Amino acid sequence: MAEERDRKERTEQSQRTIRGIERSGKVEITMKFEKPKQKLTLKQSAKELMASKELKAMALMVFCYNVCVELTEVLWKAILRKKYPTKSSYMAYMARFSQTVGLVAFLLQLVATEIINVFGWRWTAMIPPVFMGVLAIAFFAAIIAGEDKIPLAQVLLIGTVQNVANKVTKYSLFDPCKEMAYIPLGPEAKTKGKAAVDVLGARLGRSMGSATQQLLVFLVGGANGSILNCAPYIGACYVSAVVVWSNAVSVLGKLFDTTDNTPKVDNTQKLERIGEAITIIKSIEDAKREKKKNAKTDGK
């Protein structure tokens, strides 16, 4: 109890000293000016990306997400055009699709923070690839089964749900987790690597997905060059992208696990020592002022 009382008294004394220094105006202020951020070329950004394991994993996440979206979106739209051949019916369906995406994304956004708090970064970041992958497998299986076994309307419904999941999980879970992944990194990795992750990952992912589909249509599209004939091969590419994506999440998850396991430093003793040092400095200054005052009094 005595130690606690003494500590409380020292803390109060330190606070009074700090307030006194602030009133006297003798407060040293250190101002730190940051250098303006240097814009890097695409080549320099890519070089920085390859030098960091974490940035490389982030780029793979963005790359694989865009590959997956491109692989399923084209197939889904091909079925949509087949089901709704007229422009008006096609646009009406797309309008309903956009409304559904907005509503579901809004609802999921309300609980996204709780999901991250409950499951942590790693398992929250795993939700998009797993959820999208399961729905995509069902979508590809329905296409491969053919209209004789599964009606076109049901195939379109499965594809629509899968594409809604693509958009919603990106807005509510994928993007927040991606931005959170920059927090444990140093300032240099954030500034130099972010452009490479966002630009290279997104553009290369879309380009790779589109190029893969064009190549498959040319090789196995059949006489009519239909993208639907390529569903088994596109499905295999999709699963491969999901596996790479999940592995990248695991790599970044280790970074967060290390950060979480780092013991928290108790700065109470340091703060107390700083307070004591301020008190001593204040006492010395008071003694000097008192000495000068006494010297002036003796001189008179």
Side-chain angles (χ1 to χ4, degrees), residues 77-121:
K77 288 184 177 179
I79 296 173
L80 181 58
R81 290 190 185 94
K82 190 175 180 181
K83 178 66 176 176
Y84 298 101
T86 63
K87 186 177 180 179
S88 59
S89 59
Y90 178 87
M91 294 303 294
Y93 192 92
M94 288 301 297
R96 293 194 298 271
F97 171 78
S98 299
Q99 292 172 356
T100 304
V101 169
L103 177 62
V104 178
F106 173 75
L107 295 175
L108 184 58
Q109 194 70 41
L110 296 176
V111 296
T113 305
E114 292 299 324
I115 293 174
I116 296 174
N117 290 336
V118 172
F119 296 103
W121 188 93

Side-chain angles (χ1 to χ4, degrees), residues 65-278:
Y65 169 80
N66 285 278
V67 168
C68 291
V69 169
E70 189 69 22
L71 291 178
T72 52
E73 196 173 64
V74 175
L75 267 175
W76 172 66
K77 288 184 177 179
I79 296 173
L80 181 58
R81 290 190 185 94
K82 190 175 180 181
K83 178 66 176 176
Y84 298 101
T86 63
K87 186 177 180 179
S88 59
S89 59
Y90 178 87
M91 294 303 294
Y93 192 92
M94 288 301 297
R96 293 194 298 271
F97 171 78
S98 299
Q99 292 172 356
T100 304
V101 169
L103 177 62
V104 178
F106 173 75
L107 295 175
L108 184 58
Q109 194 70 41
L110 296 176
V111 296
T113 305
E114 292 299 324
I115 293 174
I116 296 174
N117 290 336
V118 172
F119 296 103
W121 188 93
R122 180 199 292 263
W123 296 111
T124 303
M126 277 289 187
I127 291 176
V130 171
F131 197 55
M132 288 168 56
V134 170
L135 291 172
I137 290 173
F139 180 50
F140 289 125
I143 296 173
I144 295 169
E147 294 183 36
D148 297 336
K149 296 182 179 179
I150 301 179
L152 189 63
Q154 293 184 10
V155 177
L156 178 61
L157 177 61
I158 297 172
T160 302
V161 173
Q162 202 279 332
N163 276 270
V164 168
N166 288 351
K167 307 288 186 183
V168 169
T169 53
K170 180 184 188 298
Y171 301 147
S172 303
L173 299 175
F174 180 80
D175 285 344
C177 286
K178 183 191 69 175
E179 295 303 321
M180 286 175 63
Y182 289 103
I183 296 174
L185 303 181
E188 218 159 307
K190 294 176 184 177
T191 54
K192 293 184 178 180
K194 187 171 173 54
V197 170
D198 293 340
V199 177
L200 287 179
R203 290 184 179 179
L204 285 180
R206 288 280 185 173
S207 300
M208 182 63 70
S210 179
T212 301
Q213 289 178 343
Q214 292 177 13
L215 180 63
L216 288 174
V217 168
F218 177 75
L219 295 176
V220 295
N224 57 352
S226 175
I227 187 70
L228 298 177
N229 297 332
C230 308
Y233 308 97
I234 294 177
C237 295
Y238 192 100
V239 172
S240 301
V242 168
V243 171
V244 175
W245 182 357
S246 302
N247 183 63
V249 171
S250 299
V251 171
L252 286 174
K254 294 177 182 178
L255 178 66
F256 274 85
D257 292 342
T258 304
T259 305
D260 294 338
N261 293 332
T262 303
K264 295 183 179 180
V265 180
D266 187 6
N267 293 321
T268 305
Q269 293 182 355
K270 290 184 179 180
L271 292 174
E272 289 178 358
R273 289 175 185 174
I274 292 172
E276 291 174 357
I278 293 174

